[in-house]
Amino acid sequence: MPLPKAELHLHIEGTLEPELAFALAERNGVPLPYADTEELRKAYLFDDLQSFLDLYYGLMAVLRTEADFEDLADAYLARAAAQGVRHAEIFFDPQAHTARGIPFATVVEGLGRALDRSEERHGVSTRLIMCFLRDQSAESAMATLEAAKPHLDRIIGVGLDSAEVGHPPSKFAAVYEAAGVLGLRKVAHAGEEGPAAYVREALDVLGVERIDHGLRCVEDPELVERLVRDRVPLTLCPLSNVRLRAVDILEQHPLPRMMAAGLLCTINSDDPAYFGGYVDDTFHAVHEALGIGPEGLRELARNSFEAAFLDGGPEEEALRARYLAEVAAYEFD
Ligand code: ADE
Ligand code: ZN
């Protein structure tokens, strides 16, 4: 049985496995520029974030109907459950779909159908976070927030993703302020490829509660001190960092140093269909490559539930307590 954990940094579109992509392409009559799944997998050799994003957005062409989004999310939840995930806070990229003429409602209702059944079918509690694409305009982000308004019963928060460098958090100050007024939680990708200054901006200008990635905070000791003091969770994604060349090899990932510094680290899978592993695979990989032992792994799992947005009243706090008790009682073999 895998270690119980929460997954807090997972793009649902990044769980589109080649087999499902081809099945949906056939179902929807969408041509793909790859002969088969093997040829598609061979294209998963990335130089950086942008080279990944080009393929990632391209393959989304197969996602067209509510049933497609439902099937995508259901497949992820089944895999997540098998990897010990008990709670998942799932990102989606509405603009990547509305720009292709797919209505916001199709995306969110399709995902929602799978999420509604998740506890019963997979034993995984779920939340949905919509991300703004930072390489699109601030106006487009605001229009996306407007489009989300009829669906806010399904969405707990906003995030910021896509090509980071040149698109600082401050570009999205107004839309984050508006999201806050609507009672939405706030997270943002920062310090993946962009500098530590973007992590500061995400905190100071956007008011985020968690930083997605945050890897490059290690370049700024004062920032590290602040993140430790304020217990700001970081949703790190070590396998993603290797595949997108933020670090050369997993053995050089700063995770052990970051944990030793007292940062509230979590590990997550980001876009597991593309990066060679789901979240329990990531736990195994950091154990093997970085020598993080059972108590370090338990700390990462505990942090994942402490950083989860499970603070909306006694019922959610009870759920968090139950998950934390499962982590404490877990016996490694
Ligand atoms: N969208 C999907 N995965 C991403 C990542 N790792 N960074 C930024 N945007 C993304
Ligand atoms: Zn991400």
Side-chain angles (χ1 to χ4, degrees), residues 222-296:
E222 262 179 44
L223 174 61
V224 169
E225 214 173 281
R226 172 181 177 183
L227 295 167
V228 171
R229 186 188 65 230
D230 296 345
R231 289 189 59 72
V232 179
L234 305 180
T235 65
L236 297 164
C237 305
L239 297 183
S240 164
N241 296 150
V242 175
R243 291 299 181 106
L244 302 187
R245 317 276 291 265
V247 300
D248 289 335
I249 53 172
L250 191 54
E251 285 74 6
Q252 288 173 8
H253 197 283
L255 175 65
R257 276 191 284 139
M258 296 174 84
M259 292 172 72
L263 286 162
L264 205 165
C265 297
T266 68
I267 60 171
N268 304 270
S269 68
D270 206 4
D271 302 284
Y274 295 93
F275 300 153
Y278 283 75
V279 68
D280 199 54
D281 305 322
T282 307
F283 273 73
H284 281 280
V286 301
H287 171 66
E288 293 294 322
L290 296 168
I292 296 179
E295 289 319 308

Side-chain angles (χ1 to χ4, degrees), residues 12 54 83 109 117 126 170 201 206 218 235 272 296 309 320:
I12 197 65
D54 292 344
Q83 298 254 327
E109 288 308 314
R117 286 192 315 258
T126 60
S170 52
E201 258 190 29
L206 304 184
V218 295
T235 65
F309 290 140
R320 189 208 309 272

